[in-house]
């Protein structure tokens, strides 16, 4: 098992993984992005934040990424996280490894706080967040309608770095030395 940085060429496979969740309320997207749209997302997000792929025997079986949590300038030290796995790869610890690598890279970037939204119920995702040291921030009730029902979304938060004094700007992931990024990724790979 290997975790690496995603590339736009991963768009097709990651779109296939994501498509497994479109008929569920796990994602509130209702139409699967095309491979080209997925590649564009990877390219756009990867300019600032980590976008990771988990491979087994050279095949992508999951991915995780961070993106800006809110657009106003004062939120600039926060990130929102997402993780998706092939259904056959669920409950094998890969989500924890992807999240672990993501959190370490975000610390290197000086991100202070991270957030994860979980459509309820989703015990596995809830356990992942709690197991990674997140705490429940609150619940948006009846906030999304999908699959013939209204759904609640729980929001989890984790402080990565102490929030005291004036923070230095975050460092784009592209400016973290490749050898430092690779060391983090290797530490979460087999």
């Amino acid at each position: 098992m290997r975790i690496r940085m995603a590339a736009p060429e991963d768009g097709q496979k990651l779109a296939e993984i994501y498509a497994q969740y479109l008929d569920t309320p796990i994602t509130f997207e209702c139409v699967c992005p095309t491979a080209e749209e997925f590649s564009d997302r990877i390219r756009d997000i990867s300019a600032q934040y980590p976008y990771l792929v988990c491979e087994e025997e050279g095949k992508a079986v999951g991915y995780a990424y961070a993106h800006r949590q809110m657009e106003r300038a004062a939120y600039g030290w926060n990130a929102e996280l997402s993780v998706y796995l092939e259904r056959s790869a669920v409950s094998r610890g890969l989500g924890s490894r992807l999240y672990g690598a993501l959190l370490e890279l975000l610390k290197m970037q000086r991100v202070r706080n991270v957030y994860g939204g979980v459509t309820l119920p989703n015990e596995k995702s809830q356990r992942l967040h709690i197991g990674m040291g997140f705490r429940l921030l609150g619940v948006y009730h009846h906030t999304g309608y999908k699959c013939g029902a209204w759904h609640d979304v729980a929001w989890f938060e984790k402080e990565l770095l102490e929030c005291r004094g004036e923070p230095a700007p975050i460092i784009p992931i592209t400016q973290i030395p490749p050898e430092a990024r690779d060391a983090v990724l290797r530490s979460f790979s087999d």
Side-chain angles (χ1 to χ4, degrees):
M1 190 277 299
R2 176 176 92 119
I3 297 175
R4 63 172 174 79
M5 301 298 288
E9 297 76 36
D10 294 311
Q12 177 66 46
K13 182 56 185 166
L14 301 193
E16 291 170 10
I17 292 170
Y18 188 64
Q20 298 175 89
Y21 296 94
L22 285 179
D23 63 346
T24 76
I26 288 174
T27 176
F28 280 1
E29 228 168 341
C30 296
V31 175
C32 191
T34 65
E36 182 179 311
E37 290 168 330
F38 233 89
S39 294
D40 289 343
R41 289 179 183 188
I42 294 167
R43 190 177 295 106
D44 293 345
I45 290 169
S46 295
Q48 187 74 21
Y49 296 96
Y51 204 124
L52 308 178
V53 173
C54 178
E55 292 180 323
E56 289 184 329
E57 298 176 12
K59 179 184 173 223
V61 294
Y63 65 95
Y65 64 93
H67 64 87
R68 190 176 174 109
Q69 181 241 356
M70 297 179 100
E71 66 181 68
R72 302 286 186 254
Y75 295 112
W77 292 269
N78 303 329
E80 185 178 331
L81 312 182
S82 293
V83 61
Y84 291 93
L85 300 172
E86 286 255 357
R87 294 203 183 206
S88 63
V90 172
S91 297
R92 294 181 25 223
L94 300 181
S96 296
R97 287 181 181 218
L98 280 163
Y99 248 36
L102 201 57
L103 295 173
E104 288 304 313
L105 292 171
L106 290 167
K107 284 181 195 174
M108 293 169 74
Q109 291 184 262
R110 301 183 190 142
V111 170
R112 305 288 187 193
N113 303 296
V114 290
Y115 301 90
V118 177
T119 305
L120 299 176
N122 186 336
E123 290 180 29
K124 290 178 183 176
S125 189
Q126 290 170 269
R127 277 196 314 266
L128 169 69
H129 286 87
I130 297 297
M132 298 297 297
F134 286 71
R135 68 180 185 93
L136 180 64
L137 179 62
V139 176
Y140 291 175
H141 298 281
H142 311 293
T143 195
Y145 184 83
K146 189 172 177 193
C147 301
W150 286 98
H151 300 280
D152 296 345
V153 174
W155 283 95
F156 292 87
E157 70 176 347
K158 179 180 174 90
E159 185 178 69
L160 291 183
L161 299 173
E162 192 172 46
C163 296
R164 187 179 299 171
E166 186 171 340
I170 69 164
I171 302 167
I173 193 65
T174 55
Q175 292 181 19
I176 300 294
E179 57 277 3
R181 287 190 325 241
D182 291 346
V184 168
L185 299 177
R186 276 193 308 275
S187 73
F188 287 91
S189 300
D190 283 340

